[in-house]
Amino acid sequence: MITISKTKSGRGLKDAVEKITGANLSMCLQCKKCSSGCAVAKLTNSRPSEIMRQLHLGAGNELLESDIIWTCVSCETCSARCPMGIDVAAVMDALKKLALEKGASKQQGNVALFNKAFLKTVEVFGRTYEMAMIAAYKLGTGKFMNDTEKFPTMLMKGKISLFPSLRGDRKTVKRIFRKTAGRKESGQ
Ligand code: SF4
Ligand code: SF4
């Protein structure tokens, strides 16, 4: 349960999220189709439609404490189901970004670290490379032996590779990262 304390402007995070996503959050009609299809809604304290409502009502930084921001798996079901065409998954991403920027989030476990490790390997290798991601994550947590029991089986079944794939389009991916970094710096 989140208590909404309105900011002075009364618009809270809504403007920032709308600026990042380009979405008009006032279009939300609270049909809850996003929540009913959400892959993680049963695991979290708040649902996507509640986040949308809270944004609309002028919630401030306390919204960045919501566990769904870090539990969201970016499956985009919510965006696909929204009858108003609101990209709800992008709203979740925007809230992640704001939570990191404002240092206001009670992140769930090490999700932010995992996120960073994942993106870094995509940036460097042009696509996911699990071994590098696991190494970066383990270095970050310092828990080297946690969750290692399934590793040999995954390796044997080819679910994880020791070496990075050469199929990634590194040049294009790097260009995308450079472009988004430039946008971040200029505040777009
Ligand atoms: S993108 Fe996130 S919020 Fe949307 S349905 Fe998937 S898990 Fe839920
Ligand atoms: S599906 Fe769209 S309109 Fe319906 S509650 Fe979710 S965001 Fe609002």
Side-chain angles (χ1 to χ4, degrees), residues 37-87:
C38 176
V40 301
K42 283 191 181 144
L43 307 170
T44 56
N45 293 328
S46 45
R47 300 173 144 225
S49 54
E50 289 166 7
I51 297 289
M52 298 299 289
R53 184 69 180 145
Q54 285 158 343
L55 281 168
H56 187 64
L57 290 175
N61 286 350
E62 72 279 359
L63 195 69
L64 301 175
E65 312 284 332
S66 310
D67 56 353
I68 192 165
I69 297 174
W70 296 102
T71 314
C72 167
V73 291
S74 303
C75 66
E76 299 190 359
T77 307
C78 48
S79 306
R81 289 175 66 105
C82 178
M84 302 309 288
I86 300 171
D87 191 348

Side-chain angles (χ1 to χ4, degrees), residues 27-35 48-49 52 78 81-84 86 88:
M27 298 283 283
C28 172
L29 45 80
Q30 282 298 295
C31 67
K32 299 186 172 57
K33 282 187 78 140
C34 51
S35 294
S49 54
M52 298 299 289
C78 48
R81 289 175 66 105
C82 178
M84 302 309 288
I86 300 171
V88 187

